Amino acid sequence: MVELVEDTNPIPIPAFISRQIMLDLVEMVEKDDSECAHLILVSIDYLLDFLIAVDFLGCEGVKSVLEEKVKDKITESNWKKVFNYTKNILGLVNTTKNSMTPICTRLVELTKGKNSLSMERFNCQLGFEQYTPSMLKLVLKNDCLGGCLKFDILKNWFIENSEAKGEILSLLKSIQFKELEDSKVEEIRSEVKTWNIGEELENSFCEVIETAKKEKKKLLEARMNGLDFHFFL
């Protein structure tokens, strides 16, 4: 350990950080290019490589700007590439989550006003049944999807992935039940009972539901108290 501390040799740059990335980074620092304008015309592949490099190097200011630039370049045709580039890098969780936005936005548009049978067809069309649990969780956490649509996605995914019972509670927790109508929550509770996930997981899910109901009640009480306060002003 002492030998490592006293070693004055330069720390070698990992192979995934190319010479060009280092040259560009140095130029950005020298020119105080806080908006990364130097990278405005580069490909999304290079942006992703650059983003991974600055995350490793701890350049948080540059990283936050690059995250937005990558986000602006994500489309329906390249979102899987972005997801696969970043899914195993803890520091790039925001970009991994952003990679799901185009497909989730498209799903909202496709299913608007559609019935459950149409939902099943769109699930197959978009390939959700092939997603890993971690990939599906990112879909379920996307803000553009409502709670009912999230549950429909999860239900159809579970039909094709019923062996993943150990992951189902975590996936169900991705749905904000406190934002749903009580009747819909009970409908979901009844549906989950038909999945045969086991008594322990069913009981845990019921606890999730009860906690959501309590949170919803507190929110409603807080809103009512706020209305009462403004009424007497």
Side-chain angles (χ1 to χ4, degrees), residues 218-232:
K218 287 181 180 179
L219 285 173
L220 290 174
E221 289 175 349
R223 289 173 185 170
M224 292 303 298
N225 290 337
L227 288 174
D228 291 342
F229 175 76
H230 288 296
F231 180 79
F232 288 109

Side-chain angles (χ1 to χ4, degrees), residues 23-37:
L23 290 173
D24 284 337
L25 183 58
V26 169
E27 183 173 349
M28 288 162 59
V29 172
E30 289 178 344
K31 293 184 177 181
D32 193 23
D33 182 10
S34 60
E35 296 302 316
C36 302

Side-chain angles (χ1 to χ4, degrees), residues 11-28:
I11 298 174
I13 297 176
F16 64 83
I17 302 180
S18 69
R19 173 181 172 80
Q20 187 59 52
I21 287 175
M22 290 306 302
L23 290 173
D24 284 337
L25 183 58
V26 169
E27 183 173 349
M28 288 162 59

Side-chain angles (χ1 to χ4, degrees), residues 68-145:
E68 289 302 311
K69 288 188 176 297
V70 170
K71 181 180 178 181
D72 291 340
K73 286 181 175 287
I74 297 173
T75 65
E76 285 187 31
S77 63
N78 66 22
W79 70 269
K80 281 189 177 181
K81 175 191 291 186
V82 177
F83 177 84
N84 289 326
Y85 249 79
T86 61
K87 64 181 180 181
N88 295 318
I89 304 175
L90 186 61
L92 301 185
V93 64
N94 288 336
T95 298
T96 308
K97 183 178 179 181
N98 290 337
S99 71
M100 292 291 181
T101 298
I103 204 69
C104 290
T105 301
R106 183 184 175 207
L107 180 62
V108 171
E109 294 172 353
L110 289 173
T111 58
K112 193 174 293 182
K114 305 293 183 180
N115 57 31
S116 58
L117 289 176
S118 296
M119 183 65 231
E120 290 179 22
R121 179 165 56 85
F122 289 128
N123 265 318
C124 294
Q125 181 181 338
L126 298 175
F128 285 138
E129 75 281 355
Q130 299 175 12
Y131 286 14
T132 63
S134 59
M135 196 173 178
L136 186 71
K137 184 178 289 188
L138 288 172
V139 173
L140 298 179
K141 286 185 175 181
N142 196 285
D143 295 335
C144 73
L145 302 178

